[in-house]
Amino acid sequence: MRDPRHLAAATCLGALAAMPALAHDDPMQAIAAFFSEAQIVSGPEQVDCTLSGGTQTTCFRITVKPDPKAYTPGPWCPTQITDGADKGGIWFVDGKAEDVDGAFIARLAELYGDTEWQLFDPDTGAVRFTGTLEACEAAARPDVDPEYNNYCVQCLPDYLPDDTAITYVIPLTPVMADRPEPTALSGAGLAWNGIRLDGPAPLENILGAHTIAPFDDCGGHVNPHVGYHYHAVTDCLDDAPGATAALDTQDVQIGIAMDGLPIMAHRDDLVDQLDACNGIDLAGKGYRYYAGTAGSNAILGCHVAETGCTLEDADGICDAAAMPPEPPPGGRPGNGPPPERG
């Protein structure tokens, strides 16, 4: 096998350059064009950074608000068991995305084979859902407050301060890692609209408390720490800037991974060829990721290259190697190992 560093040929900039509308001599202009629909607070700018494997290199830094311009996030939880799908979002069940309508709430005990599920008042049909910031904070944490067992958990964008923003520091040129890295710590990447593409949702913790935390129809929900973010990729990201002008009409680049490699929209025809990280090295295109199916709870299975940072401080220095390690979540989609290293 050829030197794995060659797998990084499809850098975030290389993929953007394939779109005529986004080709620029200045790499920061190309990145700014790709994120033109994001609510940018500052950047993109070129900065020094240290990646997760200790490599010192050059990254781009961009600070964005976790708020899409094109639509209003939600809804998430229906309020009555008579509500239709338009009153709720989606949830992952057996690898598929299901509508969270009133009927879904009513059949949770049957669905999970557990009679302790009871998210609604049997007399009135009213659904129990978190309706305040305090309730959101108590129910959305890993150790769910027992008071909010058997609740539909939703946190509203209105709960966040108006100046909420997140800074992403991503390598301009990917550096292949010695071994695959989990997406749980840094997130999978950043979508073209400025919304975080996150790692897997902690379904075991959520379901263990007899709660569900639905995503809206775009695959996103809110928590008090990172704001609105995606755990699934749906057709809401298909209208990426430059997509209609792309030379490669089969692929739509929906984001840039935290390791600098491009993330493309899901393609059914490639599923059997993807590695465990949801990526593939395509002839003439280099290595690129393809988002998992909407119900897979894995936008990416892992990262094949060293990752950058997500920061709360817009002027912070990225040293991803100094961040505490986190074990990879169990279970990886895909049909083989990621590319060999070394």
Side-chain angles (χ1 to χ4, degrees):
M1 177 174 288
R2 60 194 175 118
D3 187 328
R5 289 179 177 80
H6 291 273
L7 293 173
T11 66
C12 61
L13 296 178
L16 297 180
M19 301 181 181
L22 300 179
H24 292 278
D25 293 333
D26 183 346
M28 293 305 103
Q29 289 183 19
I31 292 169
F34 183 69
F35 291 113
S36 61
E37 294 302 311
Q39 294 208 47
I40 298 176
V41 176
S42 64
E45 61 180 332
Q46 193 165 303
V47 296
D48 294 331
C49 56
T50 302
L51 304 182
S52 55
T55 300
Q56 295 182 353
T57 186
T58 303
C59 291
F60 73 88
R61 179 170 61 191
I62 187 170
T63 301
V64 292
K65 290 187 174 184
D67 184 14
K69 289 181 180 179
Y71 66 92
T72 300
W76 290 281
C77 295
T79 59
Q80 291 283 332
I81 59 172
T82 54
D83 285 344
D86 61 322
K87 301 296 185 181
I90 59 175
W91 186 240
F92 303 150
V93 180
D94 296 331
K96 297 180 180 179
E98 292 212 17
D99 287 325
V100 179
D101 54 14
F104 179 87
I105 297 292
R107 67 184 179 93
L108 282 170
E110 175 187 352
L111 182 66
Y112 289 113
D114 182 352
T115 57
E116 290 190 30
W117 281 95
Q118 187 66 50
L119 267 67
F120 66 97
D121 185 318
D123 295 325
T124 66
V127 176
R128 284 188 287 272
F129 60 91
T130 54
T132 66
L133 171 60
E134 292 73 22
C136 154
E137 291 176 332
R141 67 192 196 195
D143 56 331
V144 177
D145 187 323
E147 182 180 349
Y148 292 99
N149 283 9
N150 264 310
Y151 264 73
C152 186
V153 180
Q154 63 178 16
C155 298
L156 303 182
D158 294 346
Y159 298 161
L160 302 176
D162 290 340
D163 61 353
T164 297
I166 302 175
T167 298
Y168 297 85
V169 183
I170 299 175
L172 287 171
T173 302
V175 177
M176 303 307 286
D178 292 334
R179 61 184 60 84
E181 298 185 359
T183 60
L185 186 60
S186 65
L190 183 62
W192 56 265
N193 62 356
I195 305 302
R196 176 185 174 109
L197 297 162
D198 217 339
L203 297 185
E204 186 174 332
N205 290 344
I206 297 169
L207 296 174
H210 295 92
T211 61
I212 60 170
F215 316 102
D216 62 16
D217 288 343
C218 289
H221 66 185
V222 176
N223 74 33
H225 305 291
V226 298
Y228 182 70
H229 58 284
Y230 295 126
H231 284 289
V233 172
T234 69
D235 58 5
C236 294
L237 291 178
D238 286 352
D239 295 329
T244 56
L247 296 176
D248 182 359
T249 56
Q250 282 188 296
D251 281 346
V252 174
Q253 185 175 355
I254 61 168
I256 299 175
M258 289 303 299
D259 60 9
L261 289 163
I263 304 176
M264 306 296 173
H266 178 77
R267 276 179 54 181
D268 283 334
D269 62 316
L270 288 179
V271 168
D272 293 339
Q273 303 174 52
L274 300 180
D275 62 34
C277 292
N278 280 13
I280 188 173
D281 186 22
L282 293 175
K285 300 175 183 177
Y287 189 93
R288 51 180 59 182
Y289 297 109
Y290 288 85
T293 59
S296 66
N297 194 27
I299 296 174
L300 304 186
C302 40
H303 288 119
V304 299
E306 296 182 27
T307 56
C309 304
T310 55
L311 304 172
E312 294 183 3
D313 180 1
D315 297 319
I317 296 173
C318 174
D319 184 355
M323 294 182 177
E326 185 165 333
R332 295 296 188 195
N335 298 279
E340 295 178 6
R341 310 286 172 245

